[in-house]
Amino acid sequence: MKDKRGRPLILISNDDGIEAAGILSLAAALDSIGDIVIAAPLQEMSAVGHAITMRDPVRARPWPFRGPSGQLTAYAVSGTPADCVKLALDKLVPRQPDLVVSGINHGPNTAVNVIYSGTVSAATEAAILGIPAIAFSYCKWGNGDFEASGRVAQKVVQQVLSNEWPPGILLNVNIPDIPYGQMKGFMITRQAQARWEEQFAERLDPFDRPYYWLSGTFVNLDKGTNTDLWAVENGWVSVTPVQHDLTAYRAMESLQQWDWDEQA
Ligand code: MN
């Protein structure tokens, strides 16, 4: 799949939008490793999960995006992260990419947040098509220093490009908010059992009608020391293999024991 020069083609997307600091850092970090195409949402799309656009057209506008090597091929897409990857793979890339990367997200995507994350969904979209994919998240909200995260991304991408890839799997990488030299290394993890305890703030609009604003509290229920949350809290880069097949295989056998009527 690599071109004659052996340089891999890397498609980059995110959910924080094409102007986010995180995607700029990711493109800068990978510019020396491969040929880059960027297709990212025009607007921030955090927590849209795997939403896709069906009732409206999707537009891709060429976007001025500078990397260390100069102008990169980039498009601002009027859609979700999953739209960006779907559209790019069908219409925007010159050949099938060797790798699709998403991020670097502003904030963690650990535990149950994987299912809400647009960052992870961009990578999932590639994994569904059998393309190696990685989602990167920096465990600090807002505009932190993405320099260390960029160095981590370089290392993970080099690993992925030089190893055999299990089809349908993506890597969900969470990077702790500490200097690069203080990171302990990479830990292969599972998603922690955690949940949001929803607390909607309730206020009144100018017409005295109540409205609600989501502002939940994140609660870690997991005592394990091999989870994504434990890893980043203890100074490790968390690497979780994630699949999109949501079938609960362990429930199939007991369900088959139920007294299902022959007539559906
Ligand atoms: Mn985001």
Side-chain angles (χ1 to χ4, degrees):
M1 280 192 288
K2 289 167 193 164
D3 74 4
K4 289 185 219 80
R5 292 166 297 156
R7 271 173 74 79
L9 179 64
I10 303 173
L11 173 65
I12 298 179
S13 192
N14 77 344
D15 77 356
D16 296 317
I18 196 156
E19 295 182 295
I23 196 169
L24 182 62
S25 303
L26 186 56
L30 304 185
D31 197 358
S32 60
I33 296 178
D35 295 332
I36 305 291
V37 176
I38 295 154
L42 181 58
Q43 291 171 320
E44 202 213 316
M45 288 273 165
S46 291
V48 301
H50 209 96
I52 52 173
T53 302
M54 293 177 67
R55 309 273 177 233
D56 294 294
V58 177
R59 298 182 191 276
R61 187 195 305 171
W63 194 263
F65 198 114
R66 287 195 72 78
S69 70
Q71 181 67 33
L72 302 178
T73 305
Y75 300 89
V77 176
S78 66
T80 67
D83 285 334
C84 290
V85 173
K86 278 176 107 64
L87 178 68
L89 293 177
D90 189 32
K91 299 291 184 199
L92 304 179
V93 291
R95 61 183 189 279
Q96 176 158 310
D98 300 281
L99 179 65
V100 175
V101 295
S102 180
I104 299 167
N105 190 59
H106 297 227
N109 277 307
T110 48
V112 70
N113 298 310
V114 167
I115 208 162
Y116 303 119
S117 167
T119 305
V120 174
S121 285
T124 301
E125 191 58 42
I128 288 169
L129 298 171
I131 302 172
I134 314 166
F136 290 105
S137 301
Y138 175 40
C139 297
K140 181 178 182 173
W141 301 105
N143 277 328
D145 178 5
F146 284 88
E147 201 267 325
S149 300
R151 290 172 72 176
V152 169
Q154 275 180 340
K155 283 205 157 187
V156 177
V157 164
Q158 276 156 348
Q159 279 282 342
V160 166
L161 290 174
S162 57
N163 279 287
E164 201 66 39
W165 187 260
I169 308 285
L170 67 102
L171 296 185
N172 184 36
V173 177
N174 281 280
I175 302 158
D177 177 26
I178 53 177
Y180 186 77
Q182 288 174 27
M183 292 182 194
K184 291 181 183 154
F186 293 89
M187 181 181 285
I188 308 302
T189 59
R190 62 176 173 84
Q191 288 172 252
Q193 298 290 325
R195 66 162 176 251
W196 286 93
E197 304 210 327
E198 312 292 358
Q199 289 170 339
F200 283 87
E202 181 175 348
R203 296 190 188 145
L204 292 178
D205 72 12
F207 311 100
D208 281 340
R209 293 170 306 204
Y211 68 90
Y212 307 94
W213 204 300
L214 181 64
S215 59
T217 308
F218 190 61
V219 182
N220 184 6
L221 307 167
D222 201 319
K223 301 272 187 285
T225 56
N226 61 345
T227 69
D228 47 9
L229 278 175
W230 191 93
V232 293
E233 282 166 9
N234 289 277
W236 297 82
V237 177
S238 168
V239 180
T240 312
V242 171
Q243 60 190 358
H244 61 272
D245 180 352
L246 300 178
T247 310
Y249 288 96
R250 65 189 169 176
M252 288 177 74
E253 200 175 324
S254 62
L255 274 174
Q256 278 156 359
Q257 307 309 313
W258 290 13
D259 185 19
W260 297 100
D261 204 310
E262 288 104 75
Q263 288 178 323

